[in-house]
Amino acid sequence: MFRFTTPALKKLQPLGERVLVKRTQAAKQTKAGILIPEQVAGKVNEGTVVSVAVASKDWTPTVKQGDTVLLPDFGGNSIKIEGEEFFLYNEQALLGVLSE
């Protein structure tokens, strides 16, 4: 018997003044090839904006999808979608937009 499953693509549209961010992963090894343990690597305080709440008459978003943002050490709500971890932040909690 064959079993076919179609992957359920879930989209999350933040509400209010919230931004959905995917946190950047810490490096697992150095450029020289030395492996870094997870306890030492820590977490990286930057991420990529995945989705932004719709603008309202009282609020206009200052970040857009694809922006790299600087995140606070604490805060945000952790959400798992299809096995991936995302974070919901109020836009006011974001520390800044990183540009090259």
Side-chain angles (χ1 to χ4, degrees):
M1 177 173 171
F2 294 106
R3 180 183 222 179
F4 293 100
T5 57
T6 57
L9 179 63
K10 295 181 183 178
K11 285 186 109 173
L12 176 66
Q13 178 66 46
L15 299 176
E17 298 177 7
R18 292 184 182 88
V19 177
L20 184 66
V21 176
K22 180 168 180 154
R23 195 179 280 268
T24 304
Q25 297 296 319
K28 295 186 180 185
Q29 70 180 27
T30 64
K31 292 180 182 179
I34 299 171
L35 296 176
I36 302 172
E38 287 183 23
Q39 296 87 1
V40 177
K43 63 180 181 181
V44 178
N45 286 348
E46 67 181 57
T48 304
V49 175
V50 176
S51 183
V52 181
V54 178
S56 67
K57 64 180 180 177
D58 298 328
W59 174 73
T60 304
T62 55
V63 296
K64 62 185 180 301
Q65 184 176 357
D67 281 351
T68 302
V69 292
L70 187 62
L71 303 171
D73 285 332
F74 301 101
N77 297 320
S78 176
I79 298 170
K80 285 200 174 190
I81 301 173
E82 295 180 357
E84 290 189 73
E85 189 172 29
F86 296 92
F87 292 87
L88 264 177
Y89 288 95
N90 281 330
E91 188 187 40
Q92 299 160 344
L94 300 177
L95 302 177
V97 178
L98 299 172
S99 59
E100 294 181 15

